[in-house]
Amino acid sequence: MRFTDRRHAGRSLAEWLRSPDDDTAEAGVWPYGAADPLVLALPRGGVPVAAEVAREFRAPLDVLVARKIGVPGSPETGIGAIVAEEPPVFDRRALQFLGLSEDELAPSVARERAELHRREDLYRRGRPEPGITGRTVLLVDDGLATGLTALAALRHLRRRQPAHLALAAPVGSRNAVAELSEEADRVLVRHQPDHFRAVGEWYDDFGQVSDDEVIELLGTSPSVA
């Protein structure tokens, strides 16, 4: 299974989420028996995907900004992640293997925290964070590789006491799905290939999503209560 781009992936995911086990499910009805759903996207790549899901279920869309902490000298290789003012979540095995300490990564954490706040200010434009307590929250990303960013986000959301917390993505590694299933009430991944190396391999177009696109998509979604 391949996706043309993130919007195509979002439509595919939304259709599957609507009726994963029942082809007769009514369009636009949340299929998991819970009221007051909220779709949260991990920006920037998760926003076009989540926008399609939110549109399908007529649910409000917002963002939860998280940032990956990269390996020094190889920033694309994630070794940790941060959300809000939460302490970093690190891959402890990777830290040990690379001989790195949390103190050595403190400058990277500080840089990513500053970028996280910049994006929060840019995307929210003064809007408060959406209410989470007692709601059904679906966290959406464009794919799950290591799952570290999603892990940090799920732990942050769990502390805010949602009634039901689910994670969804069009594609992801089976290892990430298994590990994240211990953090979410449900992990819903459309395609879990036997041989997984990177999320982008499953997209024809996996170009960067711009801040402007994120703002536009948030502006055209139902308002968040």
Side-chain angles (χ1 to χ4, degrees), residues 80-122:
I82 53 170
V83 176
E85 294 302 317
E86 304 274 4
V89 173
F90 287 111
D91 182 336
R92 299 290 173 185
R93 288 173 294 183
L95 285 178
Q96 185 175 14
F97 178 78
L98 294 170
L100 292 170
S101 69
E102 292 188 29
D103 288 344
E104 290 176 283
L105 293 167
S108 296
V109 171
R111 284 194 301 272
E112 295 303 333
R113 188 92 66 187
E115 175 62 14
L116 183 152
H117 291 318
R118 183 196 73 82
R119 293 192 185 193
E120 285 181 332
D121 292 343
L122 181 64

Side-chain angles (χ1 to χ4, degrees), residues 99-219:
L100 292 170
S101 69
E102 292 188 29
D103 288 344
E104 290 176 283
L105 293 167
S108 296
V109 171
R111 284 194 301 272
E112 295 303 333
R113 188 92 66 187
E115 175 62 14
L116 183 152
H117 291 318
R118 183 196 73 82
R119 293 192 185 193
E120 285 181 332
D121 292 343
L122 181 64
Y123 301 156
R124 293 199 179 283
R125 301 197 168 191
R127 286 187 296 107
E129 292 186 25
I132 299 296
T133 303
R135 301 185 76 167
T136 296
V137 178
L138 179 65
L139 181 68
V140 179
D141 204 356
D142 54 11
L144 302 175
T146 65
L148 274 172
T149 303
L151 174 63
L154 288 170
R155 289 181 176 175
H156 170 74
L157 291 170
R158 182 67 78 188
R159 280 188 276 271
R160 296 174 64 189
Q161 300 181 315
H164 185 88
L165 179 58
L167 171 66
V171 62
S173 76
R174 293 181 180 179
N175 286 341
V177 170
E179 291 181 7
L180 292 168
S181 293
E182 298 179 5
E183 304 287 339
D185 296 311
R186 298 187 73 169
V187 177
L188 302 152
V189 176
R190 178 74 176 88
H191 182 44
Q192 300 177 44
D194 292 330
H195 304 289
F196 183 96
R197 289 185 298 179
V199 173
E201 289 187 340
W202 303 94
Y203 286 81
D204 295 331
D205 178 2
F206 198 63
Q208 277 200 350
V209 176
S210 69
D211 286 334
D212 287 342
E213 184 176 356
V214 170
I215 293 167
E216 179 184 358
L217 288 168
L218 292 174

Side-chain angles (χ1 to χ4, degrees), residues 9-20 53 56-57 190:
R11 291 191 295 272
S12 175
L13 178 63
E15 181 179 358
W16 180 72
L17 288 173
R18 177 180 63 79
S19 184
V53 174
E56 171 68 24
F57 295 109
R190 178 74 176 88

Side-chain angles (χ1 to χ4, degrees), residues 50-67:
E52 299 295 337
V53 174
R55 183 177 297 113
E56 171 68 24
F57 295 109
R58 305 185 188 113
L61 170 68
D62 210 317
V63 292
L64 177 61
V65 182
R67 294 294 296 169

